[in-house]
Amino acid sequence: MKGLGELERSIMDILWAQSSALTAREVGRLIADRDLAPTTVMTVLDRLTRKGFLERTRDGRAWRYQPAESRDAYIAELMLEALDMTGDRSAALTRFAQAVSGTEAELLRRVLTELEEE
């Protein structure tokens, strides 16, 4: 999974925050901090669809876009890709474990225990 550019991230943040699919026009209205041409928004949405980040369905003459995966799934994939880039996964995981808070460590312990029990 490839990373996202700044505008792509902004658009994905908008779509991840929604409970339903949006049209390009609706996405454009929600990007309040930018003055983007509608064609720019449509181009980015099309590119995100081709990259596999979005799914789209026809709604009359327009397309409706929604994330193909959750934000959590995307972040988990980024974390796995980062692990793949290291020459020593054990060292990277150890460093990560040392950096998380006590609450996060407890959550990791619980999840790992649940996975072992399956």
Side-chain angles (χ1 to χ4, degrees):
M1 179 179 290
K2 296 181 180 177
L4 297 169
E6 182 184 341
L7 181 54
E8 290 173 328
R9 259 192 326 273
S10 295
I11 287 175
M12 288 303 300
D13 285 340
I14 287 168
L15 290 166
W16 276 320
Q18 302 303 308
S19 59
S20 60
L22 299 179
T23 65
R25 179 171 289 166
E26 291 167 334
V27 171
R29 277 191 230 126
L30 292 171
I31 301 178
D33 60 335
R34 299 176 184 246
D35 185 24
L36 298 173
T39 54
T40 301
V41 175
M42 288 188 293
T43 298
V44 175
L45 288 167
D46 183 59
R47 186 175 29 200
L48 287 167
T49 301
R50 283 186 277 119
K51 286 182 173 182
F53 287 99
L54 297 177
E55 296 173 347
R56 70 180 179 186
T57 54
R58 197 52 112 158
D59 184 9
R61 292 179 45 200
W63 289 102
R64 289 202 166 271
Y65 297 87
Q66 65 185 31
E69 296 286 337
S70 68
R71 181 192 317 261
D72 293 340
Y74 170 67
I75 297 301
E77 186 66 31
L78 288 177
M79 293 168 70
L80 289 170
E81 286 181 9
L83 274 177
D84 287 341
M85 292 187 314
T86 182
D88 187 349
R89 286 177 74 107
S90 294
L93 284 169
T94 299
R95 194 70 106 117
F96 178 77
Q98 291 169 341
V100 298
S101 70
T103 304
E104 293 165 334
E106 183 55 40
L107 175 63
L108 284 171
R109 272 189 217 93
R110 186 168 23 103
V111 170
L112 289 170
T113 300
E114 289 171 6
L115 288 171
E116 287 176 352
E117 292 172 356
E118 288 182 357

